[in-house]
Amino acid sequence: MGINLNPFTWWNGATIGTWFGLRGKTRMGEDSLGNVYYEGGRDTAGRARRWVIYAGANDASRIPPEWFSWMHHQIDGVPDAAMPKHRAWQKPAVPNLTGTALAYRPPGALEKGGKRAVSTGDYEAWTPDA
């Protein structure tokens, strides 16, 4: 979307009110997806308030696990300093793919042709008289 719609459409990123609300807050970092994280002020429990400005669609599943733990006060420091280094076997975080062309569809789904595998004979249907 263009710059003209950004101030009014919350689903395309931060609105102009959010940007004004972030004045005086500290930019804490940026993740691999381009989301930017801020901290400042206190909530009603006395903990630091934390925000994320999404790069793209506002979808909470687009927050990587290490930043999710920071957002929910599971770790105190930013993930770059507080988390251990990534291991070679770790895969990158994937956002929720429900509703997209990449969503999982089982073999019997209509999008995959609607043909299920034939039962193997080890299944016995329930009947109310039995």
Side-chain angles (χ1 to χ4, degrees), residues 56-119:
N58 290 344
D59 180 10
S61 72
R62 297 190 66 228
I63 298 178
E66 59 271 8
W67 281 100
F68 179 89
S69 60
W70 179 81
M71 287 287 296
H72 295 273
H73 298 278
Q74 295 171 348
I75 59 173
D76 290 329
V78 293
D80 299 337
M83 300 289 287
K85 298 292 182 198
H86 280 283
R87 312 288 174 140
W89 48 265
Q90 287 178 314
K91 293 182 179 181
V94 178
N96 185 353
L97 300 174
T98 302
T100 68
L102 299 174
Y104 171 74
R105 291 177 176 82
L110 294 176
E111 293 87 357
K112 287 200 129 181
K115 303 285 187 209
R116 291 189 340 178
V118 180
S119 63

Side-chain angles (χ1 to χ4, degrees), residues 22-76:
L22 290 175
R23 286 181 298 153
K25 308 303 186 245
T26 306
R27 180 185 165 140
M28 300 303 290
E30 185 174 333
D31 64 22
S32 59
L33 299 173
N35 300 327
V36 182
Y37 299 88
Y38 292 90
E39 183 176 61
R42 297 278 171 200
D43 65 7
T44 56
R47 297 183 305 183
R49 292 279 318 259
R50 295 176 175 174
W51 291 270
V52 59
I53 302 300
Y54 296 100
N58 290 344
D59 180 10
S61 72
R62 297 190 66 228
I63 298 178
E66 59 271 8
W67 281 100
F68 179 89
S69 60
W70 179 81
M71 287 287 296
H72 295 273
H73 298 278
Q74 295 171 348
I75 59 173
D76 290 329

